[in-house]
Amino acid sequence: MQWPPAVAVLVTAVMASGLRGQVQIPGDGVLPEAHLPKVTPVPAQSPFKPLDLTAFQLAVRALGGTALQVKTFAEEAVEVGPARAGDGLLRMVLPSFDVAVTAAEGGDPNAALLLAKVLVDAESKVVQAHARYHLARVFLDSDDPERALKVLDDYLAQTLNVSPLDSEVAYLYAQSLAEIPMIDAAIPRFRAFLAWFPDASERLRSTAHQRILELERQRESRLHMLADGMKKTTRDLQKRKTDKPVQRDQETYIEELDYLIEMFKEMENQSSGAPSGNGPSSNPASNSSLAKGDGSVGELKKRPSLADRWGPMRDSERKKIMADVQSTMPPQYRKMLEDYYKKLGKADRK
Amino acid sequence: MPVSAELKMLKFLQERVNKETKQVEALGAASKAQQGDYDQVSRKQSRVKSLMRRLAEKLGEQDAGEEGK
């Protein structure tokens, strides 16, 4: 591959200045394009409305919540934030939901099935919203951001503005895009979250700020971008996608590697030894690292790997989960969960 | 090892993954692909990704070290 003259001039100048570690490698780098989900642009106006606390409390009362539980929620909402307090209230009122969320928090492979059951059985939009939120988190924690995004799209389309989880969902949506990686779509979503939810927990807001900075740095590091793309392609291959769009992504990795090889060769030739840096990277993180603190629902850090727990389960337990998926789920969730558990099985064999 | 040499090795490994992906696709088109074929090629792609990430992080750390001097 021919190295553009402008690049040669730039590298020469930078090498001469002794600022090798700060070389800006020009160009946009590569990101995968195969089988990316369709994402609508961020709307100019926020689709989120302030939580109607009275409506939420009435919905919980209709589910069997007591007056005391609802009163306690109002007090806790002031203390720990409405999202966490609301989720806690729903867990108290609905034992099946509590079991499902507990399973998710413990990294139990049953969690996706249990949450999907809650979702399918629920007539209340509030319950559906909370089940979708936790299901999306389970998928995201299992390195399946595409499936998480699909569930969050359903949340936005069907259960918007009924639960105190809206701010968490807006954050999770951006996070899912970042993990795919659809960096150019993720950054405006994080910014929108910050603009639309000035009262969201400080923990989420500071993490969103941090993620924007990380993603902007990541976008400037061509080697990290390449690794991100390969991660996406690994997931495609796990999902039995080997078609032309995936092959095209793989070809772009070769083209990018050719370009980087030429660039580094030139830098090495102009110095006495190997270059000590690839320039733009300031070592951006490949994953989010959330600040500690109160105010959001559960722990947003990576949980114990579900794949790790799926492996040691007895065959009979795994078969029972799959049988439950096939016998109890409506078609749209059956397919989603079958694919999810197949992927979990493959991840475990790595 | 010079960075360009490490990148060449990664290119070699990625080329092998690309070739294998095409083979699995052809097998799939003939309904002869096994689950193990997909598992194997995704494992290899994951390996190249991990090596690429490690190289990117190593270079980033060196950058940070130089900036701190």
Side-chain angles (χ1 to χ4, degrees), chain A residues 45-167:
Chain A
Q45 291 287 326
S46 169
F48 298 99
K49 292 177 186 161
L51 175 67
D52 183 341
L53 263 181
T54 309
F56 176 72
Q57 288 168 335
L58 283 173
V60 175
R61 287 300 302 271
L63 290 166
T66 65
L68 180 62
Q69 284 172 327
V70 169
K71 183 172 175 287
T72 309
F73 154 73
E75 288 162 5
E76 280 202 355
V78 175
E79 204 172 311
V80 300
R84 194 165 159 184
D87 204 55
L89 173 62
L90 218 56
R91 288 177 72 168
M92 270 193 286
V93 172
L94 286 179
S96 61
F97 176 62
D98 184 49
V99 167
V101 176
T102 303
E105 287 174 345
D108 181 345
N110 261 307
L113 174 62
L114 293 171
L115 285 165
K117 276 183 179 170
V118 171
L119 175 57
V120 169
D121 292 344
E123 288 178 10
S124 158
K125 281 195 179 292
V126 171
V127 179
Q128 289 172 10
H130 283 247
R132 283 196 175 103
Y133 166 74
H134 284 282
L135 189 57
R137 280 185 54 166
V138 166
F139 289 149
L140 194 57
D141 288 348
S142 311
D143 189 27
D144 202 341
E146 291 88 355
R147 224 180 300 274
L149 201 66
K150 196 170 180 313
V151 175
L152 294 172
D153 272 331
D154 288 347
Y155 180 106
L156 296 176
Q158 297 172 41
T159 45
L160 192 65
N161 297 322
V162 298
S163 145
L165 287 178
D166 283 356
S167 61

Side-chain angles (χ1 to χ4, degrees), chain A residues 204-219:
Chain A
L204 266 194
R205 287 184 57 81
S206 66
T207 308
H209 279 296
Q210 185 187 328
R211 284 301 278 148
I212 290 170
L213 290 175
E214 284 171 359
L215 290 169
E216 283 172 346
R217 286 207 302 265
Q218 203 166 327
R219 195 162 52 180

Side-chain angles (χ1 to χ4, degrees), chain A residues 18-22 218 221-228 230-231 233-235 237-244 246-247 250-251 253-254 257-258 260-261 264-265 268 274-286 342 346 349-350, chain B residues 1-5 7-26 28 33-36 38-39 41-50 52-64 66-67:
Chain A
L19 295 173
R20 198 169 49 206
Q22 295 166 39
Q218 203 166 327
S221 168
R222 295 179 71 148
L223 270 71
H224 274 291
M225 278 178 74
L226 204 44
D228 287 340
M230 289 171 176
K231 187 177 174 190
T233 300
T234 300
R235 285 199 306 274
L237 296 170
Q238 278 175 351
K239 293 175 185 171
R240 303 176 68 118
K241 290 173 183 165
T242 50
D243 55 5
K244 288 282 179 204
V246 173
Q247 292 173 25
Q250 290 177 319
E251 283 160 18
Y253 305 152
I254 298 291
L257 282 164
D258 275 333
L260 291 168
I261 289 165
F264 276 96
K265 261 192 198 166
E268 285 156 12
S276 61
N278 72 337
S281 166
S282 299
N283 195 23
S286 53
K342 276 182 197 164
K346 279 178 253 171
R349 286 196 290 274
K350 289 190 168 186
Chain B
M1 188 191 285
V3 176
S4 63
L7 288 167
K8 274 184 195 170
M9 185 197 71
L10 284 167
K11 183 189 166 193
F12 169 74
L13 294 173
Q14 184 62 50
E15 280 172 338
R16 284 195 352 187
V17 177
N18 293 9
K19 191 176 164 191
E20 203 168 308
T21 302
K22 285 178 185 165
Q23 288 169 344
V24 175
E25 173 69 3
Q34 306 284 319
Q35 187 56 53
Y38 294 98
D39 293 350
V41 72
S42 72
R43 246 190 328 264
K44 288 181 179 174
Q45 182 66 75
S46 176
R47 176 80 180 134
V48 182
K49 178 266 295 177
S50 299
M52 174 58 69
R53 180 76 72 200
R54 204 179 299 167
L55 178 62
E57 283 170 356
K58 190 175 84 177
L59 292 171
E61 280 163 17
Q62 287 176 0
D63 279 358
E66 291 213 345
E67 281 164 19

Side-chain angles (χ1 to χ4, degrees), chain A residues 275-345:
Chain A
S276 61
N278 72 337
S281 166
S282 299
N283 195 23
S286 53
N287 284 304
S288 67
S289 51
L290 285 154
K292 290 188 189 307
D294 292 332
S296 59
V297 181
E299 289 294 315
L300 274 172
K301 66 185 178 190
K302 289 274 182 193
R303 300 192 178 98
S305 161
L306 283 169
D308 288 346
R309 299 197 182 213
W310 179 251
M313 286 178 87
R314 285 199 298 274
D315 264 359
S316 58
E317 291 173 321
R318 280 197 291 265
K319 281 178 185 163
K320 184 178 179 312
I321 290 179
M322 289 305 272
D324 274 0
V325 169
Q326 280 153 11
S327 63
T328 62
M329 289 288 114
Q332 73 270 31
Y333 293 109
R334 192 185 309 151
K335 175 83 174 74
M336 175 184 275
L337 291 173
E338 279 175 354
D339 289 347
Y340 167 72
Y341 282 115
K342 276 182 197 164
K343 181 175 172 287
L344 213 56

